[in-house]
Amino acid sequence: MTYQPHGKHLIAGEWIASKDQFTSQPVTGEGMSISSGGAREVDQAVQAAEAAFEIYGWTSREARAAFLEAIAEEIEARGADITRLGMAETGLPQARLEGERGRTTGQLRLFASHIRDGEYLDRRHDEALPDRQPLPRPDMKMVQRPIGPVAVFGASNFPLAFSTAGGDTASALAAGCPVVVKGHPAHPATGEIVAEAIRAAITRTGMPDGVFSLVQGVSHQLGHELVTHPLIRAVGFTGSLGAGRALFDLCAGRSEPIPFFGELGSINPVFLMPGALATRAEALGQGWAASLSMGVGQFCTNPGLVIAQRGTELESFVAAAKGALAGAGESVMLTEGIAEAYRRGADEIASAKGVQEVLGSSCERRNAAPLVYRVSAADWLANEALAEEVFGPLGLIVEAEDSAQIMALARSLRGQLTATLQMEDADIEVARPLVSVLERKAGRVLVNGFPTGVEVADAMVHGGPYPASTNFGATSVGSLAIRRFLRPVCYQNMPEALLPADLITG
């Protein structure tokens, strides 16, 4: 039977409506009325999460792994409906949504495997030394323990992998933390059906109802209520720098501050080394164009900045990129607000001193088309606004006079999610000092690829120094993401009967 959304919140296992409503804005089809939550719904969800934590925080790793796998299975069982609703709400194509669904279930299964292994617990034991002089040493055991209820904000650009059951939710649940999700208003029906899948998994595995809640809403006040609720212990967020910084400040300003793990965007510089330009400038231009325009540029790892030394090889790169993008045309963006911000950001870039248009177009309503500009390194270094992210398929090519100026550009960069080197073996000595700079600027440094593919794997880091993220020691993708929602606890001279099971069993 085809799933029919109802527009309610899921709180402690029950679908609950609110008096306040907002109307969704799908790309196709009619908008529907969606409950818009506030302080009351947040408190109900968080209180239920706190009650659930008294049980869920002490469940076995095997029980939590089975729960995560059940969520993946329930999502897959609803696959056709999830794709149908996601396409209507976001305009994303079927193949993209099906791939993202696979990534979402893959993340859940990755964390199930990760917690079964148990290495993340970082267990340590210093045995008692009662005869040590001048003072005896007590018995001490340490293990990583869950922190409590976690708030997660759904992302606009990933309705599955970074939203209701996305990486933040999966890693928090794996750690033993209940989750309250603020659904993104750009895709409320998609969020609802995924929440229904989680609800079914809760029932299947006998987990407490309050272990997961979804609160829908469009107001900034809803986010304020969630991050300032005294029982919330951490926040996971993927979104814009402005919204993320506002929430970060709220978390820091609480009477008891809590960690805010925000992924806030990046311009993801691509450095074209001389050897690479000399041997494959045209292929590099075409590859960059494909990465820049993928998904209408609505990826946080979109390679929006190219840095290279001026010359005939760079001109070949520019011509190839322009040719590859010229026929792209307009595509629909995730929301009207994102499309408007793209146009506004493009206007600011285009009007800046020294900026020249390579490829221009006009974009209307909810649509966007690729835009490419070029500027000298001197003008780029003189204007901090040129380093701001423009979310969408906009690229800026910065032309350096020599390798020293390329190093100056690298040192001037703010924190990034990624930095890319396109290079040949002959470029290694030139690239060596550049790598030492870029590893301090980005969470992931890659060679001879493009950053828009974020692999879900143990070694992946999706984060970076501010403003790419608010905690440079964390990642929101990969198994290390679980560490955000754990804290070390030392048990001194504790009877075995009172220890967490993870300190007794393997």
Side-chain angles (χ1 to χ4, degrees):
M1 181 181 294
T2 300
Y3 184 84
Q4 296 298 325
H6 46 66
K8 299 178 182 178
H9 316 289
L10 177 64
I11 299 177
E14 300 292 333
W15 290 107
I16 297 173
S18 296
K19 180 178 68 174
D20 292 336
Q21 304 273 309
F22 71 95
T23 301
S24 65
Q25 296 181 321
V27 174
T28 60
E30 295 295 323
M32 62 177 292
S33 293
I34 308 292
S35 289
S36 188
R40 178 174 175 272
E41 289 80 9
V42 165
D43 186 60
Q44 288 176 333
V46 178
Q47 293 286 355
E50 177 68 18
F53 181 57
E54 296 181 5
I55 301 169
Y56 189 68
W58 291 81
T59 53
S60 68
R61 302 197 311 275
E62 177 56 40
R64 295 200 303 278
F67 176 41
L68 294 172
E69 289 169 340
I71 296 173
E73 291 166 3
E74 294 293 344
I75 288 173
E76 289 168 343
R78 294 160 175 79
D81 281 333
I82 289 172
T83 299
R84 173 179 57 84
L85 293 170
M87 290 174 65
E89 289 190 311
T90 67
L92 295 172
Q94 179 178 343
R96 155 67 194 275
L97 285 166
E98 289 177 348
E100 190 181 332
R101 188 176 72 241
R103 173 176 169 171
T104 304
T105 56
Q107 289 173 157
L108 290 159
R109 292 187 170 110
L110 171 69
F111 280 108
S113 175
H114 186 63
I115 60 176
R116 281 193 176 104
D117 178 79
E119 286 190 12
Y120 77 97
L121 294 167
D122 194 18
R123 288 173 284 207
R124 307 182 187 198
H125 184 197
D126 293 302
E127 295 183 354
L129 299 174
D131 298 324
R132 190 184 69 173
Q133 295 298 325
L135 294 172
R137 185 178 77 184
D139 182 87
M140 293 178 290
K141 299 181 177 71
M142 189 274 282
V143 70
Q144 299 287 338
R145 294 290 297 148
I147 60 174
V150 170
V152 171
F153 284 71
S156 63
N157 59 334
F158 279 87
L160 302 175
F162 278 87
S163 290
T164 310
D168 288 344
T169 297
S171 53
L173 291 175
C177 299
V179 173
V180 178
V181 171
K182 178 194 175 294
H184 198 285
H187 42 77
T190 309
E192 178 188 308
I193 190 173
V194 174
E196 176 59 34
I198 299 174
R199 179 174 180 255
I202 290 171
T203 301
R204 273 179 56 185
T205 57
M207 292 297 171
D209 288 334
V211 76
F212 174 85
S213 291
L214 170 70
V215 181
Q216 306 270 30
V218 72
S219 71
H220 295 308
Q221 186 62 28
L222 174 57
H224 181 282
E225 296 291 344
L226 187 54
V227 302
T228 58
H229 195 289
L231 295 178
I232 288 294
R233 312 314 303 161
V235 177
F237 173 88
T238 298
S240 70
L241 175 60
R245 183 55 197 249
L247 294 172
F248 174 81
D249 290 346
L250 285 173
C251 289
R254 290 173 31 146
S255 59
E256 182 183 0
I258 59 172
F260 178 83
F261 299 104
E263 190 269 279
L264 309 180
S266 178
I267 56 175
N268 305 296
V270 178
F271 289 81
L272 307 180
M273 296 289 95
L277 270 178
T279 56
R280 48 192 171 94
E282 183 175 341
L284 287 173
Q286 293 170 346
W288 177 65
S291 183
L292 182 75
S293 59
M294 182 186 299
V296 204
Q298 296 169 116
F299 292 96
C300 45
T301 53
N302 193 47
L305 184 71
V306 168
I307 295 174
Q309 190 167 329
R310 70 173 65 229
T312 56
E313 292 89 354
L314 179 57
E315 295 307 315
S316 296
F317 170 89
V318 173
K322 180 179 179 179
L325 292 169
E330 293 187 3
S331 298
V332 67
M333 298 195 86
L334 291 161
T335 69
E336 292 181 3
I338 289 174
E340 174 58 32
Y342 177 67
R343 289 190 289 271
R344 187 167 59 249
D347 289 343
E348 292 173 359
I349 295 288
S351 62
K353 179 187 175 185
V355 171
Q356 301 173 10
E357 181 182 286
V358 174
L359 177 69
S361 64
S362 60
C363 309
E364 297 181 355
R365 298 184 299 278
R366 196 166 171 167
N367 297 327
L371 300 168
V372 179
Y373 302 94
R374 63 195 302 172
V375 68
S376 71
D379 284 332
W380 194 87
L381 288 166
N383 187 352
E384 292 184 359
L386 293 177
E388 297 292 332
E389 179 188 29
V390 178
F391 192 63
L394 183 146
L396 181 61
I397 300 166
V398 180
E399 304 169 16
E401 295 291 342
D402 51 31
S403 59
Q405 200 168 47
I406 288 177
M407 286 296 295
L409 288 164
R411 291 191 180 100
S412 74
L413 291 168
R414 294 186 294 172
Q416 305 291 327
L417 293 172
T418 73
T420 300
L421 291 170
Q422 293 288 350
M423 58 176 288
E424 299 294 320
D425 289 346
D427 294 314
I428 285 178
E429 292 307 314
V430 178
R432 193 185 306 278
L434 195 55
V435 170
S436 67
V437 173
L438 295 181
E439 72 173 12
R440 298 179 63 188
K441 300 289 185 177
R444 177 164 56 113
V445 183
L446 57 149
V447 170
N448 292 344
F450 290 100
T452 37
V454 181
E455 189 71 28
V456 178
D458 288 326
M460 177 54 65
V461 173
H462 190 62
Y466 186 85
S469 60
T470 55
N471 189 312
F472 61 80
T475 175
S476 61
V477 180
S479 56
L480 189 62
I482 195 174
R483 295 296 296 269
R484 297 173 296 168
F485 308 120
L486 297 163
R487 65 182 184 89
V489 178
C490 175
Y491 298 87
Q492 183 170 319
N493 291 336
M494 185 71 67
E496 186 172 290
L498 297 179
L499 287 172
D502 285 328
L503 277 174
I504 302 169
T505 60

